[in-house]
Amino acid sequence: RHVAVRDSHLSDFKEQGADSQAIAGWNGLGPFAILNNTLEGAGENLIFGGADPAIENLVPSDIEVRGNHLRKPLAWKPGEPGHDGSAWTVKNLLELKNARRVLVEGNVLENNWVAAQDGFGILFTVRNQDGRAPWSVVEDVTFRGNVVRHSASGIYVLAHDNNWPSQQVKRVVLRDNLWDDIGGPRWGGGGRLFQVIARSADVTIDHNTARHAGNILTADEGPHGSFVFTNNIAAHNEYGIIGASQTPGLPS
């Protein structure tokens, strides 16, 4: 129920054809403290959710993730010098599927490429995973002061589960982060910086700096209520800020 992982090195967690993680949790209430660790996992380096809690209405809560290094070794990536010949199931660096009151601060998250998913390094994607937890939610999340680098795309916010009933993703703050080397031929994917789908509420993107190959913001299945985008430095690239089936600029 109450877990702290600190000052530790968790590495070489990998699997082919299934997800593998350095740290995963879904059936504990919290609080959880994940501090000053190195975390290596092929599927998700760190995830909360991904299975239905056995305890009704349980949402892992009061989660602190600070000062960690989340990475995937380049020896796992086909085409890289030193590739070990493996074909592990690679997905993302950090994912929240069912979580409340989360602080992710001062971490380095790096090396994520298109493989078993389309390459977003960070996912805040609410999931009622097996259809038995309609209370699943991602809310009150602060992601600040982090470095995300060498990834096919940046962050994907899915505000409602598109498979099973869920609660809404709401009150998410992305502030004071550096996004570096996002997209491009080495990592694959479109280099999308931010993607927000399916009617989120109170998402704030403020004071981020990015070097990325694709869109600044891609949005779909809206409207997204109380959305704030301020004080960021990012390249327009081909489409800038765009809604699905729209053109950039005023139509979007």
Side-chain angles (χ1 to χ4, degrees):
R1 182 176 180 181
H2 303 159
V3 177
V5 182
R6 58 179 61 186
D7 304 323
S8 300
H9 188 104
L10 287 76
S11 63
D12 210 34
F13 294 94
K14 59 203 183 197
E15 190 168 355
Q16 187 172 7
D19 288 12
S20 53
Q21 303 92 13
I23 297 177
W26 61 86
N27 203 46
L29 181 61
F32 300 99
I34 301 168
L35 309 174
N36 195 36
N37 305 288
T38 295
L39 305 177
E40 293 180 3
E44 304 87 8
N45 297 51
L46 171 62
I47 184 171
F48 281 92
D52 291 346
I55 302 167
E56 188 172 359
N57 294 320
L58 185 139
V59 177
S61 301
D62 303 302
I63 301 167
E64 182 182 13
V65 182
R66 287 194 297 110
N68 302 282
H69 187 189
L70 283 68
R71 64 184 294 271
K72 300 188 192 298
L74 292 179
W76 296 351
K77 183 180 182 298
E80 288 290 322
H83 176 229
D84 60 10
S86 61
W88 310 120
T89 296
V90 169
K91 289 193 171 180
N92 59 71
L93 297 163
L94 169 67
E95 184 166 11
L96 301 179
K97 291 186 173 184
N98 185 25
R100 173 183 290 135
R101 294 189 299 275
V102 183
L103 173 63
V104 182
E105 182 177 43
N107 305 277
V108 174
L109 306 98
E110 63 179 349
N111 301 347
N112 193 71
W113 52 92
V114 173
Q117 286 183 341
D118 56 4
F120 280 94
I122 316 298
L123 274 70
F124 297 161
T125 51
V126 63
R127 291 293 185 190
N128 171 9
Q129 190 73 28
D130 300 308
R132 298 185 297 270
W135 61 82
S136 297
V137 71
V138 175
E139 63 183 7
D140 299 303
V141 178
T142 299
F143 185 89
R144 70 186 180 204
N146 302 286
V147 176
V148 182
R149 62 192 182 196
H150 315 318
S151 180
S153 288
I155 184 165
Y156 175 22
V157 177
L158 177 68
H160 286 86
D161 191 340
N162 58 339
N163 296 315
W164 298 100
S166 75
Q167 304 303 303
Q168 182 184 41
V169 172
K170 50 188 177 290
R171 297 186 297 277
V172 172
V173 176
L174 312 175
R175 178 171 285 135
D176 298 327
N177 302 291
L178 174 64
W179 309 80
D180 185 34
D181 187 24
I182 305 299
R186 184 178 184 186
W187 311 111
R192 288 166 286 175
L193 188 57
F194 306 113
Q195 180 166 290
V196 185
I197 306 295
R199 307 180 313 281
S200 66
D202 297 294
V203 171
T204 297
I205 302 174
D206 179 63
H207 273 270
N208 295 270
T209 299
R211 187 169 66 94
H212 61 110
N215 302 346
I216 300 170
L217 172 68
T218 303
D220 196 4
E221 300 176 24
H224 300 277
S226 301
F227 179 85
V228 175
F229 187 91
T230 48
N231 306 308
N232 301 288
I233 299 174
H236 183 280
N237 296 322
E238 187 173 8
Y239 293 118
I241 294 174
I242 188 167
S245 303
Q246 301 295 328
T247 57
L250 291 178
S252 289

